[in-house]
Amino acid sequence: MSTEHADAFREALRSSKHIVVIAGAGLSAASGIPTYHDGGGLWRTLDATALASPEAFRDNPSLVWQFYHYRRNKALEAKPNAAHEVVAKMSVPQCLKQVAPDAQSFHLITQNIDRLSTVALQDVLKNLTSDSPSSGQAAKPRPAVYKNTILEMHGRLFDVQCTQCNYCVEDRSTPLTAALGAADADLRTYQDAGTKTIDIPEEQLPRCAKCRALARPGVVWFNERPLYLDEINNIMFKADMCLVIGTSSQVRPASTYAYRVRRRGGKVALFNLDPSEKDIASADFVFKGPCETLLPAVLPELH
């Protein structure tokens, strides 16, 4: 990473008014969240992408729930990394204005379902208010946060959603049912999952807290419509700076957002471990490497 390149990006950021981050799996990789495309893969002996679909759940809800039980446990064990911290501070005007004094809005549009960006923002707000006030002084007020600053377009891993009445609730308990815990204990490694069949009766899978029908993970699967698309379209129409962090041009519609910003005269900065030629060609600033290293180096004020 050249100093001149970083300085040019920082100069463009300083004059930006409407800043957007598009985040993908690379943002959470350093936190221990496996990705669909890494060398080991998720559930190596199974096609993980084939498990993330309505059709897979219809055909084998037991297997899909075991897969998401694994993903939930990985996310529960994970902690936000340095890249999460930098992005979280962008959500707080008093922090963002250190590097973008003209900023009027900031949005994180994340494809990740692990909730680590939300945890990171909560940690940042807690740290900003944790200093004990001097004697006779009032406690520090909670810092302001940009409106609707985090949009989780692929849903939330810990949401449990009814397949009948659509009631949805966040539930971080584990296991969600005793049967999921027992199946988990019966697997030596998660690679076993592709060769060892554990069929859990449907009545022993997670159920809706209201109507007791079968529940599903509250995430957006392949062939389902991502969330907040109208709101995101409005955000992208105004954006004049887009940071693409830990994601590529593979998944639509997120893959089109940077192009739309640049087409309207905005700037695009790419932070990715292994960007494609297409990604590089569509960016004004390219930072190649792990985002948990690059972001603090480029924006040390936010780390």
Side-chain angles (χ1 to χ4, degrees):
M1 179 183 71
S2 71
T3 302
E4 293 81 5
H5 195 59
D7 288 345
F9 163 68
R10 287 172 58 86
E11 186 62 29
L13 183 62
R14 286 191 64 83
S15 61
S16 300
K17 293 181 172 62
H18 300 287
I19 302 165
V20 177
V21 166
I22 309 296
L27 178 62
S28 294
S31 296
I33 303 294
T35 72
Y36 283 121
H37 306 293
D38 66 11
L42 287 173
W43 274 26
R44 191 175 308 173
T45 51
L46 292 175
D47 179 0
T49 59
L51 294 172
S53 72
E55 294 77 18
F57 188 76
R58 179 196 63 211
D59 294 341
N60 196 338
S62 168
L63 182 61
V64 171
W65 260 121
Q66 289 175 63
F67 173 57
Y68 278 91
H69 171 71
Y70 159 59
R71 298 190 71 181
R72 286 167 58 93
N73 282 346
K74 295 293 289 186
L76 285 170
E77 295 167 0
K79 304 293 183 186
N81 62 59
H84 286 114
E85 178 188 355
V86 171
V87 175
K89 287 184 176 178
M90 289 182 164
S91 291
V92 182
Q94 72 181 60
C95 297
L96 179 59
K97 288 183 180 293
Q98 295 179 55
V99 295
D102 293 340
Q104 298 176 16
S105 69
F106 172 80
H107 294 90
L108 165 61
I109 300 170
T110 181
Q111 301 167 83
N112 298 336
I113 61 176
D114 52 45
R115 300 287 278 152
L116 288 178
S117 292
T118 298
V119 173
L121 179 56
Q122 292 169 346
D123 290 345
V124 164
L125 295 175
K126 181 179 179 181
N127 291 336
L128 289 173
T129 57
S130 63
D131 295 337
S132 299
S134 303
S135 178
Q137 291 184 334
K140 284 186 176 181
R142 178 184 172 93
V145 175
Y146 287 107
K147 183 179 180 182
N148 298 329
T149 189
I150 300 178
L151 297 173
E152 296 161 302
M153 67 182 303
H154 289 170
R156 310 192 307 180
L157 181 57
F158 300 109
D159 281 2
V160 179
Q161 180 178 335
C162 183
T163 58
Q164 298 298 319
C165 72
N166 283 328
Y167 176 72
C168 187
V169 63
E170 185 172 29
D171 187 344
R172 287 177 170 263
S173 62
T174 188
L176 286 172
T177 70
L180 282 174
D184 189 40
D186 197 41
L187 297 176
R188 273 190 312 106
T189 69
Y190 283 101
Q191 284 71 43
D192 283 347
T195 56
K196 183 181 294 186
T197 300
I198 301 175
D199 291 321
I200 300 175
E202 188 172 302
E203 60 271 15
Q204 296 179 28
L205 294 173
R207 316 295 293 184
C208 174
K210 280 195 170 182
C211 74
R212 305 308 301 168
L214 178 66
R216 56 164 279 180
V219 300
V220 176
W221 282 328
F222 292 105
N223 302 319
E224 292 184 328
R225 178 181 170 87
L227 307 176
Y228 312 115
L229 287 185
D230 291 341
E231 186 172 354
I232 291 171
N233 284 334
N234 290 333
I235 290 167
M236 301 314 300
F237 182 77
K238 293 195 305 180
D240 55 5
M241 171 61 76
C242 179
L243 283 67
V244 180
I245 301 175
T247 188
S248 67
S249 57
Q250 294 185 36
V251 181
R252 295 178 63 92
S255 61
T256 68
Y257 293 149
Y259 166 77
R260 289 162 59 184
V261 170
R262 206 172 186 212
R263 185 181 61 186
R264 295 186 61 255
K267 299 295 185 182
V268 173
L270 176 66
F271 297 80
N272 204 336
L273 185 62
D274 188 24
S276 68
E277 291 185 8
K278 179 181 178 182
D279 295 329
I280 293 172
S282 64
D284 299 282
F285 310 98
V286 177
F287 300 95
K288 185 175 181 179
C291 55
E292 67 275 8
T293 301
L294 292 173
L295 282 169
V298 175
L299 299 171
E301 300 92 334
L302 300 182
H303 182 50

